[in-house]
Amino acid sequence: MISAKEYFEAYLTWQSRESSLRSASVTYESFSSLDPEVLIPEAEAGTPGAMEELGERLLFGVGMTADTDKAMEWFKK
């Protein structure tokens, strides 16, 4: 199992790299205000901004129980 520090370092690396998703004309801020009941189905449908937001919430435990394993799964998608 990977440590929380390693997860966080992997997250920071992912955040800092140039990504086509980040350069796409997608408004990520709109997903930050969604309730988990709406956010999760959006992420499961493959919406990039929703997937990123769900990963961040799971990583930091914002509005839900922190789960670094699930967070990393969403970041990898």
Side-chain angles (χ1 to χ4, degrees):
M1 185 170 159
I2 191 168
S3 71
K5 181 181 179 207
E6 290 171 311
Y7 275 117
F8 188 66
E9 288 171 354
Y11 169 76
L12 291 178
T13 300
W14 176 82
Q15 276 288 59
S16 65
R17 77 170 190 236
E18 184 59 35
S19 166
S20 61
L21 293 178
R22 295 215 172 270
S23 61
S25 59
V26 176
T27 305
Y28 288 91
E29 291 79 26
S30 62
F31 296 102
S32 63
S33 62
L34 293 179
D35 289 329
E37 296 80 27
V38 177
L39 179 65
I40 293 169
E42 266 311 301
E44 290 172 343
T47 306
M51 294 165 68
E52 178 185 8
E53 178 66 26
L54 182 56
E56 288 181 6
R57 289 187 191 188
L58 286 165
L59 181 64
F60 298 109
V62 177
M64 55 186 61
T65 303
D67 187 329
T68 53
D69 290 329
K70 286 183 183 177
M72 288 309 292
E73 287 177 22
W74 283 109
F75 293 138
K76 288 177 181 178
K77 291 180 183 185

